[in-house]
Amino acid sequence: QVTLKESGPGILQPSQTLSLTCSFSGFSLSTSGICVSWIRQPSGKGLEWLATICWEDSKGYNPSLKNRLTISKDTSNNQAFLKITSVDTADTAIYYCARRPPGSPHWYFDFWGPGTMVTVSS
Amino acid sequence: DIQMTQSPASLSASLGETISIECRASEDIYSNLAWYQQKSGKSPQLLIYAANRLQDGVPSRFSGSGSGTQYSLKISGMQPEDEGDYFCLQGSKFPLTFGSGTKLEIK
């Protein structure tokens, strides 16, 4: 059974660094073809893909966030991480992690975590 | 970036009605398209991938079609549990991009 769960600080101040953790079970990030991505959704708005990390440690980032993103993984503990530097109120959103299924030539996400709400406020 | 234009933004349907939601890509995405349903306060649930492949466990009243730049999601026979927001996702090219969403309500 595949599950993912996000965790984060809940609230932080502008200019701080946001650190998020995705803890998952039912698959391994060392398995060929597996990737985990971060996606966010401001309240009442649409979805924005942020970053992806794959089993062989390849990474992809949304250029709209320029150099503020860093994605990493801890394969032994079944976790993926995302850091966003210099946050401001526009980063207030629900943050999801999601899995790309193995063995598919297409990019999509089959399982998502429930999301963690992050509020940036002074 | 590939822009995904989704329409309509909102839709009201009667029980049993057949509805369609469209996504148009700014360039050919070679059927790299997925559809998601999101209910209030929940994470998105995968309905369709590769433009027309039904995800396991999804009712057969959901179907996807399209190619090139034009794609659609059809619900054949609206049910109460189909209320929610629907999004498309293009997976052809990074950055991955989503449609702006369609809010589907029961009339």
Side-chain angles (χ1 to χ4, degrees):
Chain A
Q1 180 188 3
V2 172
T3 65
L4 304 96
K5 187 173 184 179
E6 307 86 351
S7 58
I11 187 165
L12 67 167
Q13 295 184 336
S15 80
Q16 290 186 320
T17 294
L18 169 61
S19 294
L20 297 166
T21 299
C22 174
S23 301
F24 52 84
S25 63
F27 66 96
S28 172
L29 248 179
S30 62
T31 299
S32 178
I34 292 281
C35 302
V36 170
S37 297
W38 287 94
I39 300 116
R40 71 181 180 183
Q41 184 174 36
S43 180
K45 296 189 177 179
L47 296 153
E48 180 181 32
W49 170 78
L50 298 175
T52 291
I53 190 164
C54 295
W55 81 102
E56 82 292 36
D57 211 36
S58 65
K59 299 164 189 171
Y61 295 103
N62 193 323
S64 71
L65 279 85
K66 298 177 183 176
N67 298 318
R68 299 175 53 213
L69 302 177
T70 303
I71 194 169
S72 59
K73 61 183 171 72
D74 179 348
T75 303
S76 302
N77 289 306
N78 287 338
Q79 291 180 316
F81 310 97
L82 183 71
K83 289 188 187 297
I84 306 179
T85 59
S86 304
V87 298
D88 67 13
T89 54
D91 296 307
T92 295
I94 297 173
Y95 286 77
Y96 298 101
C97 60
R99 185 190 83 152
R100 179 200 185 193
S104 172
H106 297 270
W107 266 95
Y108 62 97
F109 309 117
D110 60 349
F111 288 94
W112 297 57
T116 186
M117 181 68 206
V118 174
T119 302
V120 180
S121 174
S122 55
Chain B
D1 300 3
I2 296 177
Q3 306 303 315
M4 300 301 296
T5 302
Q6 186 171 341
S7 62
S10 63
L11 187 53
S12 183
S14 302
L15 291 178
E17 186 177 347
T18 293
I19 66 97
S20 287
I21 298 168
E22 312 288 326
C23 266
R24 176 171 49 86
S26 57
E27 62 185 80
D28 194 328
I29 58 171
Y30 306 99
S31 297
N32 263 286
L33 187 100
W35 289 99
Y36 293 88
Q37 177 193 64
Q38 186 178 31
K39 298 192 177 180
S40 182
K42 302 293 187 183
S43 55
Q45 299 293 306
L46 177 65
L47 300 173
I48 301 285
Y49 64 96
N52 60 16
R53 299 187 184 179
L54 192 67
Q55 174 68 354
D56 290 345
V58 174
S60 59
R61 64 180 179 275
F62 291 92
S63 62
S65 63
S67 62
T69 62
Q70 301 271 13
Y71 298 86
S72 63
L73 172 71
K74 185 165 76 171
I75 306 175
S76 300
M78 177 80 178
Q79 298 299 307
E81 60 267 31
D82 298 337
E83 270 200 325
D85 295 326
Y86 291 79
F87 295 93
C88 62
L89 164 67
Q90 72 79 17
S92 175
K93 192 180 288 187
F94 282 80
L96 306 179
T97 47
F98 292 87
S100 53
T102 295
K103 177 176 283 296
L104 177 60
E105 296 176 326
I106 297 282
K107 192 182 292 183

